[in-house]
Amino acid sequence: MTRTPNTFLKFGAPSLAASLLGAAGLLASSLASAQTFAASAITPTGLPLEALLRLELPVEAQQGQTLNVAIRLDQPFAGRAADDVFLFYGFKLDFDPSQLRFKGFAAAEGWSDDSGFLRPGEIGASNFPGVAAAGQSWLNLGALQFELLGAGEAWLQISSPDGDLNLGLGYAQAAINLPIDWRGSLQVSAVPEPGALAMTLAGLLGLGLVQRRRVGQNK
């Protein structure tokens, strides 16, 4: 990706009055810019101004389970031209291998799995001739599957390095791929041991018997 070099302006030694006027002008300009950015950073509905790729994680899961994680693209055409087309996506997948074991990736219907053409640890898919804008608020792009190995907080992260032509969000009218940068976690609970489970059932049974006795005494 080609970056435009920063341009630095060199000034001579200005007078005090000119310096004060210049500083005041810069301050006013900065305040105006900050206000404009603050007003436009969030839409009235709270939706992002650009497409956001993320994973849908449950709040809690149990050790030993198989976890299916949906890949979701929110506001896929936010800030895009009305006739733009979404063509492909790719990201680097990171997670804690002590708590998660990656089992596979399945692209959504209509999408081709391109992961075999990418580097190890990278996931991607494409759709040609592409997905056109039709008022979609989100797109389902596929799913990742994991086995939950241990209890505790399990984290996942997806990202696209700057300038990588194979990763990111690819649009027909975009000069460069849009970046992907998301991280999330879920809480994995341990499987109850047989002894603890038996004690829990015994406690529930005891509570039921006490409740029945109270009902009988009230009669």
Side-chain angles (χ1 to χ4, degrees):
M1 180 176 63
T2 304
R3 292 181 179 272
T4 304
N6 294 327
T7 302
F8 295 93
L9 300 180
K10 296 183 179 179
F11 296 93
S15 65
L16 178 61
S19 298
L20 292 175
L21 287 174
L26 287 173
L27 178 60
S29 176
S30 299
L31 290 174
S33 299
Q35 291 172 355
T36 301
F37 176 80
S40 60
I42 302 176
T43 63
T45 57
L47 300 175
L49 293 177
E50 289 187 347
L52 173 64
L53 190 73
R54 63 183 180 88
L55 303 180
E56 285 192 312
L57 297 176
V59 177
E60 189 174 358
Q62 192 174 81
Q63 180 182 355
Q65 290 181 338
T66 296
L67 180 68
N68 292 309
V69 180
I71 305 170
R72 171 170 171 154
L73 181 62
D74 290 336
Q75 298 302 308
F77 294 98
R80 313 302 308 170
D83 59 344
D84 205 350
V85 177
F86 179 46
L87 298 174
F88 67 89
Y89 68 92
F91 56 80
K92 184 177 183 294
L93 174 64
D94 292 296
F95 56 90
D96 185 352
S98 68
Q99 291 186 301
L100 298 171
R101 177 184 293 123
F102 179 63
K103 299 187 67 175
F105 161 67
E109 183 178 358
W111 288 80
S112 299
D113 183 358
D114 298 333
S115 304
F117 301 101
L118 303 176
R119 292 177 290 266
E122 295 179 348
I123 303 294
S126 57
N127 182 312
F128 292 99
V131 179
Q136 306 98 317
S137 60
W138 63 279
L139 294 174
N140 173 35
L141 300 181
L144 305 172
Q145 191 175 79
F146 297 89
E147 180 183 352
L148 302 177
L149 302 177
E153 185 179 20
W155 61 267
L156 298 94
Q157 179 173 327
I158 56 176
S159 60
S160 61
D162 191 22
D164 194 316
L165 299 179
N166 294 317
L167 304 184
L169 303 175
Y171 290 83
Q173 299 185 26
I176 59 174
N177 300 341
L178 297 186
I180 296 173
D181 186 12
W182 180 92
R183 182 185 175 98
S185 62
L186 72 154
Q187 195 66 33
V188 181
S189 59
V191 178
E193 295 184 3
L197 183 59
M199 291 180 63
T200 302
L201 292 176
L204 292 174
L205 180 61
L207 287 174
L209 292 175
V210 170
Q211 185 65 25
R212 289 183 62 183
R213 286 179 181 175
R214 287 179 180 176
V215 172
Q217 291 175 355
N218 290 335
K219 288 182 179 180

